[in-house]
Amino acid sequence: MHTSTSPDHRRSLLQMLGISTPIVLAPMAVVGTPALAAAVSEAGGLGSIAVGHMDAEAARKTIRETRALTNKPFNVNVFCHVPARADARREQAWLDYLAPHFAEHGATPPAGLREIYSTFMTDDAMFRMFLEEKPPVVSLHFGLPAQEKIDALRAAGIKLLASATSLQEARAIEAAGIDAIVAQGIEAGGHRGCFDPDGDDEGLGTLALVRLLARHTSLPVIAAGGIMDGAGIAAVLALGAQAAQLGTAFIACPESSADAAYRAALTGPNRRPTTFTRAISGRTARGFANRLTALGAAADAPPAPDYPIAYDAGKALHAAAKATGSAEYAAQWAGQAAPLARSLPAAELVAQLKAELAETVGRLAALAG
Ligand SMILES: Cc1cc2nc3c(=O)[nH]c(=O)nc-3n(C[C@H](O)[C@H](O)[C@H](O)COP(=O)(O)O)c2cc1C
């Protein structure tokens, strides 16, 4: 077993990614922006842009926008879910279930639902675009693409990261020749990265998962889930991670595209708990509880359509409700430690995280005597 906690190994992850501080901005579809990614990269961390919900040309534009804002390395994230299984009966039953809520907001449900974005597993245009644009880092969520794609991306000099929620997924990532693992604990905001959304999920927390992967795999580990400040970063570094990936901590930054209701849910006085739901997108994700998550949890709820077909309905219902001033059907993804969110410009937040990390390390050294 290699010594994943040795300083040399840790330096090697930062060196490999070309960053100077062990902070990764989590890729956040819709919420993240080139400005947010560039600010984190400029501050010494690894900024990320999520393009899993885009087609190849929109993603290319986003990569170029980010490049125009920073010369530093950044990460581009795609979804590797199994292609959606359309099921007209299931989709109609779901739309019928939501219909009273559309009506309440003066709207009618869409006539049918579409798979609103494709998976990187089959999106060859996205793959070719990556080979042309050569972003410094690409990260994969929900699984792994074909080995030829992994090999071709690496041969093009692109560093690859992939998320794991279990030791088994981490082993598959290691076997595929990926450069580092993002260990996503159950605390994390957004979609759970499980390879099989219908498989058994032990629901490992960040603490247990990071330690398991640091001890039982040979790859550098980036910890994700519930990390909001320098103490959290210090904790996962102590467990053997070599960097921390923070999502929820950055949503309230002015550079994100979160709307006013989302920001109020994060930092306002009436904070709601987070919950897991499939009702918004068709896959398990953690976000603030609202009427749509309650609808999904109701005893008489039909099964939501497959991911991301259900998202088509969720986005339409949210748009109808938002037009009448309601955020009750919004996808407001957030992790369990959301009450610790701060609304600071991203560069300031990274500077504070670094200061808190140093302060925590000093405090621990003093405690250890
Ligand atoms: C708003 C939001 C959107 C997210 N979108 C993505 C995404 O597009 N791709 C991805 O790999 N992870 C996504 N995630 C999950 C993050 O990569 C990460 O696992 C999570 O933010 C870590 O937990 P934290 O939110 O408690 O920091 C998202 C998380 C949030 C909060």
Side-chain angles (χ1 to χ4, degrees), residues 25-32 49-53 77-79 139-142 163 182-185 187-192 223-228 245-249 251 262 286 331-338:
L25 164 68
M28 293 188 283
V30 184
V31 176
I49 47 173
V51 302
H53 60 301
N77 171 262
V78 284
F79 298 136
S139 70
L140 309 159
H141 202 50
F142 300 143
S163 6
V182 177
Q184 188 198 36
E187 298 92 328
H191 285 88
R192 205 150 155 69
I227 306 164
M228 301 295 288
Q245 175 166 303
L246 289 69
T248 304
I251 300 173
Y262 199 172
R286 183 183 295 284
Q332 291 175 338
W333 306 131
Q336 284 183 334

Side-chain angles (χ1 to χ4, degrees), residues 95 102 107-110 113 310-322 329:
L95 286 174
F102 277 96
T108 47
L113 295 176
Y311 232 155
D312 201 13
K315 285 178 190 281
L317 181 52
H318 169 56
K322 192 171 178 177
Y329 305 89

Side-chain angles (χ1 to χ4, degrees), residues 227-245:
I227 306 164
M228 301 295 288
D229 55 21
I233 298 169
V236 294
L237 296 181
L239 292 168
Q242 291 146 60
Q245 175 166 303

